[in-house]
Amino acid sequence: MKIVIASFETETNTFSPLPTGVNAFHNAGYRRRDASLDPTAVEAVCQAAWRRLAARDGHTIVESVAAFAQPAGRTVRAVYERLRDDIIADVKAAMPVDMVLLLMHGAMVAEGYDDCEGDTIARIRAIVGPDVPIGLELDLHCHITRLMMDNATAIITFKEYPHIDYVPRAEELYELCARAAAGAVKPVMALHDCRMINMWRTPVEPMKSFVARMQALEGRDGILSVSFGHGFPWGDTEDVGAKMLVIADGDRAKAEKLAAQLAREIWALRHETATPADTIDLALDRASAVTGGPIVLADVADNAGGGAPGDSTFILRRILDRGLTNVVSGCYWDPIAVQMCIEAGEGATFELRIGGKCGRASGDPVDLTVTVRKIVRDLYQTGLGGRKSQLGDSVWVSAGGIDLVLTSVRSQVFHPDAFTAFGIDPAKKALVVVKSTQHFYAGFAPLAKEIRYVTTPGAIPPDFANIPFTKLTRPYWPRVEDPFAGANRPA
């Protein structure tokens, strides 16, 4: 078989002030035709898995684009169209093909395109015809659309948040589509709208058991795959929201029945799975009351992984106002401050303006007399699935018992090595503040006495009931307590 593989990923916060342009892709990771051959190409781990499996089975791989951009605002139209058309051109050049496998995010929005994934695979379907399997792997924070469902043979989302299962899901998608290409199975998909907008954290109960139940259902009684698309709350599109997706072998009614059943189960857990978010002062009160280990505060509203700038100062300001010490916080995206620190050099003490540069969601800048403790050029942290995540030239500065990590590349905090690379031991701090929503969890939970999630006026506040949607017309929880009232209530 001849198999075309590609990846094209970004997550769009339509409320973010940051445009996603060509440099966003080329700086974060862009390759064409060879990314999976480079073990250092972190944007191509799924293509590498597909290439490995194809080699095992004696198939031919035709590799197209591997493109990733840090989440931000809408992708510039010409940039989206150019990268999409690169993939289209490679599919056309490879024809005839037997299978197409794509890794996309599922919540990418460009100027003029609310459903970039659906648009891309619809164009591929028009080229390859109705019978060639098209497999689509998505981030679980996706908008699963009718256009995707109509044109993909199989859609599989990540199951874990943090996303530690890129490769296992890629392997499942390959095997399912290969079996479909051989005629061994006939995948049929069913989608159930849960009418919920929330963030579900899978390492903790009850979601941990729910994910295990999803996996236990696969491979039994004709069920090929089960995915729970959590949705990405800050995407102002018609299809935003949580969806349950089931793939069965030739039996659509069976898929629909299980999707509806699992949707009812997740609906029943809605209050139990909602993660409370502290106000800043409540979180700092809690941190001040706990001894014997660090309290880790997640600055969820300034998570670059959700399209936020990563330079907000709301929590830092209150830490300073309250005179708290033995604190480490990061990572602040502030390339101007980083360059000033590099120019001053390690050991220098001077007045530095930090953060608050990108708009109202960033807060006001903070002026501090800082000492430059360490400069690290081209810093990387451990990212999802052990992949390297770029932070660029970065610095550690301290001021009055507070340590701050400033970076020149915008990224959320994934791992303690964002701090330990400088010689900072977060386990010895009273308070650790990370700009992240959940991907920090696996790395920081082992050292944390307690983890608290904190809301601020940042770019992605977890106030799901009051997100100012303009395109979503369906009622949803928690905006209304019963979004099914009078319309197809689950049994």
Side-chain angles (χ1 to χ4, degrees):
M1 288 199 300
K2 185 190 295 183
I3 305 170
V4 176
I5 61 174
S7 68
F8 185 13
E9 295 179 89
T10 192
E11 180 181 56
T12 302
N13 181 336
T14 58
F15 305 102
S16 172
L18 306 173
T20 302
V22 65
N23 288 334
F25 285 97
H26 282 269
N27 292 343
Y30 172 83
R31 299 280 290 271
R32 191 173 182 187
R33 302 194 178 106
D34 65 349
S36 69
L37 298 173
D38 181 356
T40 68
V42 297
E43 69 275 12
V45 293
C46 292
Q47 291 97 301
W50 293 332
R51 184 178 285 275
R52 169 174 49 81
L53 293 170
R56 178 199 68 185
D57 296 338
H59 302 320
T60 299
I61 284 291
V62 177
E63 185 161 2
S64 182
V65 166
F68 168 79
Q70 190 68 243
R74 284 180 173 85
T75 299
V76 175
R77 182 175 188 139
V79 173
Y80 164 66
E81 292 177 340
R82 187 183 319 152
L83 294 173
R84 176 203 65 194
D85 291 348
D86 285 347
I87 297 173
I88 300 303
D90 289 340
V91 173
K92 287 181 177 178
M95 290 293 290
V97 303
D98 301 288
M99 190 160 78
V100 179
L101 299 175
L102 300 173
L103 171 67
M104 301 188 78
H105 188 280
M108 180 179 182
V109 178
E111 296 165 345
Y113 298 90
D114 278 1
D115 178 12
C116 294
E117 291 81 2
D119 173 66
T120 298
I121 63 170
R123 292 170 188 270
I124 293 173
R125 176 60 70 197
I127 297 166
V128 302
D131 300 324
V132 172
I134 298 176
L136 183 62
E137 181 177 1
L138 299 178
D139 190 299
L140 58 75
H141 294 120
C142 55
H143 316 307
I144 303 177
T145 70
R146 179 48 51 191
L147 193 60
M148 296 181 203
M149 295 286 289
D150 287 345
N151 289 283
T153 305
I155 299 172
I156 292 178
T157 74
F158 309 156
K159 287 184 170 65
E160 299 289 351
Y161 183 39
H163 305 326
I164 57 175
D165 57 337
Y166 273 77
V167 172
R169 302 292 84 78
E171 293 170 342
E172 290 174 8
L173 185 67
Y174 172 92
E175 300 292 356
L176 198 164
C177 289
R179 292 173 66 197
V185 294
K186 183 181 179 181
V188 292
M189 297 191 292
L191 188 68
H192 193 95
D193 186 352
C194 301
R195 297 197 181 184
M196 290 189 288
I197 292 179
N198 191 22
M199 299 292 280
W200 288 269
R201 294 173 168 85
T202 61
V204 296
E205 297 293 357
M207 286 306 299
K208 183 176 181 179
S209 293
F210 186 83
V211 170
R213 171 162 159 69
M214 289 167 56
Q215 292 179 300
L217 290 166
E218 295 174 325
R220 300 172 52 190
D221 194 28
I223 299 300
L224 301 175
S225 178
V226 180
S227 293
F228 176 37
H230 296 196
F232 180 63
W234 300 278
D236 187 13
T237 72
E238 182 181 354
D239 293 290
V240 64
K243 313 277 178 63
M244 195 68 64
L245 189 155
V246 174
I247 308 176
D249 186 3
D251 191 336
R252 192 174 306 278
K254 181 177 290 185
E256 291 173 345
K257 181 179 179 181
L258 182 57
Q261 175 186 326
L262 292 172
R264 288 194 295 270
E265 292 180 18
I266 203 71
W267 168 258
L269 295 171
R270 64 195 181 281
H271 294 293
E272 191 175 352
T273 55
T275 301
D278 295 338
T279 64
I280 298 172
D281 280 313
L282 180 61
L284 295 180
D285 287 345
R286 177 63 181 168
S288 299
V290 173
T291 59
I295 296 293
V296 175
L297 304 186
D299 185 0
V300 299
D302 196 34
N303 173 19
D311 74 336
S312 83
T313 57
F314 301 106
I315 296 178
L316 176 60
R317 173 65 67 188
R318 290 300 296 144
I319 289 172
L320 292 166
D321 290 346
R322 293 172 61 141
L324 300 181
T325 58
N326 198 20
V327 176
V328 63
S329 180
C331 293
Y332 293 80
W333 179 49
D334 198 333
I336 295 173
V338 169
Q339 288 305 309
M340 293 175 70
C341 290
I342 292 173
E343 186 72 13
E346 291 183 0
T349 298
F350 67 106
E351 292 287 331
L352 182 65
R353 175 161 286 188
I354 296 170
K357 293 181 171 64
C358 291
R360 286 176 294 180
S362 299
D364 295 326
V366 170
D367 294 317
L368 291 173
T369 301
V370 303
T371 298
V372 180
R373 299 296 183 188
K374 191 173 181 63
I375 298 167
V376 178
R377 296 284 195 167
D378 198 20
L379 175 65
Y380 286 82
Q381 63 177 325
T382 302
L384 298 177
R387 301 184 301 169
K388 293 196 301 182
S389 174
Q390 186 180 20
L391 294 172
D393 292 345
S394 303
V395 299
W396 163 25
V397 300
S398 64
I402 299 172
D403 295 312
L404 303 175
V405 172
L406 317 178
T407 67
S408 56
V409 172
R410 189 171 62 92
S411 176
Q412 66 181 297
V413 173
F414 290 105
H415 192 274
D417 58 13
F419 300 130
T420 59
F422 294 93
I424 304 169
D425 185 354
K428 294 182 178 179
K429 298 296 182 179
L431 178 61
V432 178
V433 182
V434 295
K435 290 183 177 294
S436 183
T437 300
Q438 181 66 4
H439 287 320
F440 72 94
Y441 189 92
F444 284 85
L447 60 86
K449 185 72 175 281
E450 188 176 344
I451 291 174
R452 310 288 295 187
Y453 299 89
V454 188
T455 185
T456 72
I460 52 169
D463 183 7
F464 305 121
N466 294 302
I467 296 174
F469 296 118
T470 65
K471 298 182 179 181
L472 176 62
T473 59
R474 306 181 313 282
Y476 71 90
W477 180 87
R479 180 167 289 183
V480 298
E481 182 57 34
D482 187 358
F484 297 100
N488 300 318
R489 178 185 299 280

